[in-house]
Amino acid sequence: MTILRYGAGETGAGGQSLPFARAVEADGWLHVSGQVAMHQGEIIGGGIIPETRKAIGNLIAILSEAGYGVEDVVRVGVWLDDPRDFWTFNKIYTEYFGANPPARACVQARMMVECKVEIDCIAFKRKVNRIAD
């Protein structure tokens, strides 16, 4: 089994080294680490709507880099800072995942950084084994 790591050893806010990969792929399964509304090492802020769009955008960028799309996502985990944001979050989330709804868990949690939402996912894409000519 081959394991590919995407973005291991990157830095986050304040230039601190992040001790995890953005995503890890093994046998067609892609596990994407939690994404927040971060741009160039800083949280964009602005409330649940722009933060949700940015966090999902970051998630999709990692999926794309690894050759996956939202249609390949089988599970999503969501952490919301404020449960009152649940319905607003769902409206934005549906724009991205409405046609291909994965299984999902959504909980309220205190965040490790100053943000409103964090999202991770697991995607699967059957890899075709090519036989050399």
Side-chain angles (χ1 to χ4, degrees), residues 48 80 82-94:
I48 191 63
L80 293 174
D82 187 338
R84 294 172 293 186
D85 290 332
F86 181 72
W87 297 110
T88 303
F89 169 82
N90 276 339
K91 285 178 70 175
I92 305 304
Y93 177 89
T94 301

PDB file of all heavy atoms in Angstrom, residues 48 80 82-94:
ATOM      1  N   ILE A  48     -19.991  33.694   9.997  1.00  0.00           N
ATOM      2  CA  ILE A  48     -20.180  32.316   9.564  1.00  0.00           C
ATOM      3  C   ILE A  48     -20.243  32.167   8.050  1.00  0.00           C
ATOM      4  O   ILE A  48     -19.744  31.176   7.507  1.00  0.00           O
ATOM      5  CB  ILE A  48     -21.422  31.672  10.247  1.00  0.00           C
ATOM      6  CG1 ILE A  48     -21.450  30.152  10.003  1.00  0.00           C
ATOM      7  CG2 ILE A  48     -22.711  32.340   9.780  1.00  0.00           C
ATOM      8  CD1 ILE A  48     -20.306  29.383  10.583  1.00  0.00           C
ATOM      9  N   LEU A  80     -18.859  23.625  14.818  1.00  0.00           N
ATOM     10  CA  LEU A  80     -19.328  25.011  14.843  1.00  0.00           C
ATOM     11  C   LEU A  80     -19.073  25.608  16.219  1.00  0.00           C
ATOM     12  O   LEU A  80     -19.359  24.967  17.238  1.00  0.00           O
ATOM     13  CB  LEU A  80     -20.826  25.089  14.539  1.00  0.00           C
ATOM     14  CG  LEU A  80     -21.261  24.695  13.137  1.00  0.00           C
ATOM     15  CD1 LEU A  80     -22.783  24.684  13.043  1.00  0.00           C
ATOM     16  CD2 LEU A  80     -20.668  25.641  12.101  1.00  0.00           C
ATOM     17  N   ASP A  82     -20.644  28.288  17.384  1.00  0.00           N
ATOM     18  CA  ASP A  82     -21.924  28.763  17.912  1.00  0.00           C
ATOM     19  C   ASP A  82     -23.062  27.963  17.269  1.00  0.00           C
ATOM     20  O   ASP A  82     -23.244  28.029  16.044  1.00  0.00           O
ATOM     21  CB  ASP A  82     -22.081  30.248  17.592  1.00  0.00           C
ATOM     22  CG  ASP A  82     -23.289  30.892  18.241  1.00  0.00           C
ATOM     23  OD1 ASP A  82     -24.248  30.172  18.600  1.00  0.00           O
ATOM     24  OD2 ASP A  82     -23.277  32.125  18.377  1.00  0.00           O
ATOM     25  N   PRO A  83     -23.847  27.222  18.053  1.00  0.00           N
ATOM     26  CA  PRO A  83     -24.921  26.413  17.462  1.00  0.00           C
ATOM     27  C   PRO A  83     -25.982  27.252  16.755  1.00  0.00           C
ATOM     28  O   PRO A  83     -26.707  26.737  15.906  1.00  0.00           O
ATOM     29  CB  PRO A  83     -25.506  25.656  18.651  1.00  0.00           C
ATOM     30  CG  PRO A  83     -25.120  26.433  19.857  1.00  0.00           C
ATOM     31  CD  PRO A  83     -23.810  27.098  19.517  1.00  0.00           C
ATOM     32  N   ARG A  84     -26.065  28.537  17.052  1.00  0.00           N
ATOM     33  CA  ARG A  84     -27.028  29.405  16.358  1.00  0.00           C
ATOM     34  C   ARG A  84     -26.665  29.583  14.887  1.00  0.00           C
ATOM     35  O   ARG A  84     -27.488  30.004  14.086  1.00  0.00           O
ATOM     36  CB  ARG A  84     -27.123  30.762  17.053  1.00  0.00           C
ATOM     37  CG  ARG A  84     -27.723  30.665  18.452  1.00  0.00           C
ATOM     38  CD  ARG A  84     -27.640  31.954  19.187  1.00  0.00           C
ATOM     39  NE  ARG A  84     -26.228  32.255  19.448  1.00  0.00           N
ATOM     40  CZ  ARG A  84     -25.788  33.259  20.181  1.00  0.00           C
ATOM     41  NH1 ARG A  84     -26.645  34.095  20.741  1.00  0.00           N
ATOM     42  NH2 ARG A  84     -24.502  33.445  20.368  1.00  0.00           N
ATOM     43  N   ASP A  85     -25.427  29.219  14.505  1.00  0.00           N
ATOM     44  CA  ASP A  85     -24.985  29.316  13.103  1.00  0.00           C
ATOM     45  C   ASP A  85     -25.365  28.091  12.280  1.00  0.00           C
ATOM     46  O   ASP A  85     -25.112  28.048  11.074  1.00  0.00           O
ATOM     47  CB  ASP A  85     -23.465  29.501  13.037  1.00  0.00           C
ATOM     48  CG  ASP A  85     -23.017  30.864  13.517  1.00  0.00           C
ATOM     49  OD1 ASP A  85     -23.808  31.831  13.412  1.00  0.00           O
ATOM     50  OD2 ASP A  85     -21.868  30.974  14.001  1.00  0.00           O
ATOM     51  N   PHE A  86     -25.977  27.085  12.907  1.00  0.00           N
ATOM     52  CA  PHE A  86     -26.247  25.815  12.246  1.00  0.00           C
ATOM     53  C   PHE A  86     -27.022  25.972  10.944  1.00  0.00           C
ATOM     54  O   PHE A  86     -26.637  25.432   9.908  1.00  0.00           O
ATOM     55  CB  PHE A  86     -26.986  24.879  13.210  1.00  0.00           C
ATOM     56  CG  PHE A  86     -27.294  23.523  12.642  1.00  0.00           C
ATOM     57  CD1 PHE A  86     -26.280  22.595  12.449  1.00  0.00           C
ATOM     58  CD2 PHE A  86     -28.596  23.173  12.321  1.00  0.00           C
ATOM     59  CE1 PHE A  86     -26.563  21.331  11.934  1.00  0.00           C
ATOM     60  CE2 PHE A  86     -28.889  21.905  11.819  1.00  0.00           C
ATOM     61  CZ  PHE A  86     -27.870  20.990  11.623  1.00  0.00           C
ATOM     62  N   TRP A  87     -28.151  26.674  10.957  1.00  0.00           N
ATOM     63  CA  TRP A  87     -28.996  26.781   9.764  1.00  0.00           C
ATOM     64  C   TRP A  87     -28.334  27.613   8.679  1.00  0.00           C
ATOM     65  O   TRP A  87     -28.437  27.282   7.485  1.00  0.00           O
ATOM     66  CB  TRP A  87     -30.379  27.312  10.126  1.00  0.00           C
ATOM     67  CG  TRP A  87     -31.073  26.361  11.048  1.00  0.00           C
ATOM     68  CD1 TRP A  87     -31.356  26.551  12.376  1.00  0.00           C
ATOM     69  CD2 TRP A  87     -31.484  25.031  10.750  1.00  0.00           C
ATOM     70  NE1 TRP A  87     -31.935  25.429  12.911  1.00  0.00           N
ATOM     71  CE2 TRP A  87     -32.033  24.470  11.933  1.00  0.00           C
ATOM     72  CE3 TRP A  87     -31.456  24.244   9.603  1.00  0.00           C
ATOM     73  CZ2 TRP A  87     -32.546  23.174  11.985  1.00  0.00           C
ATOM     74  CZ3 TRP A  87     -31.968  22.957   9.660  1.00  0.00           C
ATOM     75  CH2 TRP A  87     -32.500  22.444  10.838  1.00  0.00           C
ATOM     76  N   THR A  88     -27.637  28.659   9.053  1.00  0.00           N
ATOM     77  CA  THR A  88     -26.911  29.464   8.064  1.00  0.00           C
ATOM     78  C   THR A  88     -25.795  28.635   7.447  1.00  0.00           C
ATOM     79  O   THR A  88     -25.600  28.642   6.225  1.00  0.00           O
ATOM     80  CB  THR A  88     -26.341  30.741   8.712  1.00  0.00           C
ATOM     81  OG1 THR A  88     -27.428  31.472   9.302  1.00  0.00           O
ATOM     82  CG2 THR A  88     -25.629  31.604   7.699  1.00  0.00           C
ATOM     83  N   PHE A  89     -25.067  27.905   8.293  1.00  0.00           N
ATOM     84  CA  PHE A  89     -24.016  27.019   7.790  1.00  0.00           C
ATOM     85  C   PHE A  89     -24.601  26.021   6.785  1.00  0.00           C
ATOM     86  O   PHE A  89     -24.043  25.808   5.710  1.00  0.00           O
ATOM     87  CB  PHE A  89     -23.328  26.266   8.940  1.00  0.00           C
ATOM     88  CG  PHE A  89     -22.438  25.174   8.454  1.00  0.00           C
ATOM     89  CD1 PHE A  89     -21.151  25.448   8.032  1.00  0.00           C
ATOM     90  CD2 PHE A  89     -22.906  23.863   8.359  1.00  0.00           C
ATOM     91  CE1 PHE A  89     -20.335  24.439   7.532  1.00  0.00           C
ATOM     92  CE2 PHE A  89     -22.106  22.856   7.866  1.00  0.00           C
ATOM     93  CZ  PHE A  89     -20.811  23.148   7.451  1.00  0.00           C
ATOM     94  N   ASN A  90     -25.731  25.400   7.132  1.00  0.00           N
ATOM     95  CA  ASN A  90     -26.342  24.399   6.248  1.00  0.00           C
ATOM     96  C   ASN A  90     -26.693  24.974   4.884  1.00  0.00           C
ATOM     97  O   ASN A  90     -26.563  24.286   3.871  1.00  0.00           O
ATOM     98  CB  ASN A  90     -27.594  23.806   6.889  1.00  0.00           C
ATOM     99  CG  ASN A  90     -27.265  22.684   7.839  1.00  0.00           C
ATOM    100  OD1 ASN A  90     -26.199  22.069   7.763  1.00  0.00           O
ATOM    101  ND2 ASN A  90     -28.177  22.407   8.744  1.00  0.00           N
ATOM    102  N   LYS A  91     -27.160  26.214   4.830  1.00  0.00           N
ATOM    103  CA  LYS A  91     -27.491  26.842   3.543  1.00  0.00           C
ATOM    104  C   LYS A  91     -26.249  26.923   2.662  1.00  0.00           C
ATOM    105  O   LYS A  91     -26.304  26.609   1.472  1.00  0.00           O
ATOM    106  CB  LYS A  91     -28.088  28.229   3.753  1.00  0.00           C
ATOM    107  CG  LYS A  91     -29.521  28.203   4.250  1.00  0.00           C
ATOM    108  CD  LYS A  91     -30.061  29.589   4.487  1.00  0.00           C
ATOM    109  CE  LYS A  91     -30.251  30.289   3.162  1.00  0.00           C
ATOM    110  NZ  LYS A  91     -30.889  31.606   3.298  1.00  0.00           N
ATOM    111  N   ILE A  92     -25.124  27.346   3.217  1.00  0.00           N
ATOM    112  CA  ILE A  92     -23.880  27.467   2.451  1.00  0.00           C
ATOM    113  C   ILE A  92     -23.369  26.074   2.091  1.00  0.00           C
ATOM    114  O   ILE A  92     -22.980  25.815   0.947  1.00  0.00           O
ATOM    115  CB  ILE A  92     -22.810  28.253   3.237  1.00  0.00           C
ATOM    116  CG1 ILE A  92     -23.333  29.620   3.679  1.00  0.00           C
ATOM    117  CG2 ILE A  92     -21.524  28.371   2.426  1.00  0.00           C
ATOM    118  CD1 ILE A  92     -23.837  30.508   2.597  1.00  0.00           C
ATOM    119  N   TYR A  93     -23.369  25.165   3.049  1.00  0.00           N
ATOM    120  CA  TYR A  93     -22.889  23.798   2.851  1.00  0.00           C
ATOM    121  C   TYR A  93     -23.632  23.128   1.684  1.00  0.00           C
ATOM    122  O   TYR A  93     -23.032  22.455   0.846  1.00  0.00           O
ATOM    123  CB  TYR A  93     -23.099  23.018   4.152  1.00  0.00           C
ATOM    124  CG  TYR A  93     -22.735  21.560   4.107  1.00  0.00           C
ATOM    125  CD1 TYR A  93     -21.443  21.130   4.414  1.00  0.00           C
ATOM    126  CD2 TYR A  93     -23.687  20.586   3.786  1.00  0.00           C
ATOM    127  CE1 TYR A  93     -21.110  19.789   4.397  1.00  0.00           C
ATOM    128  CE2 TYR A  93     -23.359  19.246   3.772  1.00  0.00           C
ATOM    129  CZ  TYR A  93     -22.073  18.850   4.073  1.00  0.00           C
ATOM    130  OH  TYR A  93     -21.748  17.523   4.050  1.00  0.00           O
ATOM    131  N   THR A  94     -24.940  23.328   1.613  1.00  0.00           N
ATOM    132  CA  THR A  94     -25.761  22.732   0.564  1.00  0.00           C
ATOM    133  C   THR A  94     -25.358  23.231  -0.819  1.00  0.00           C
ATOM    134  O   THR A  94     -25.452  22.488  -1.797  1.00  0.00           O
ATOM    135  CB  THR A  94     -27.254  23.010   0.835  1.00  0.00           C
ATOM    136  OG1 THR A  94     -27.589  22.452   2.105  1.00  0.00           O
ATOM    137  CG2 THR A  94     -28.151  22.393  -0.224  1.00  0.00           C
TER     138      THR A  94
END
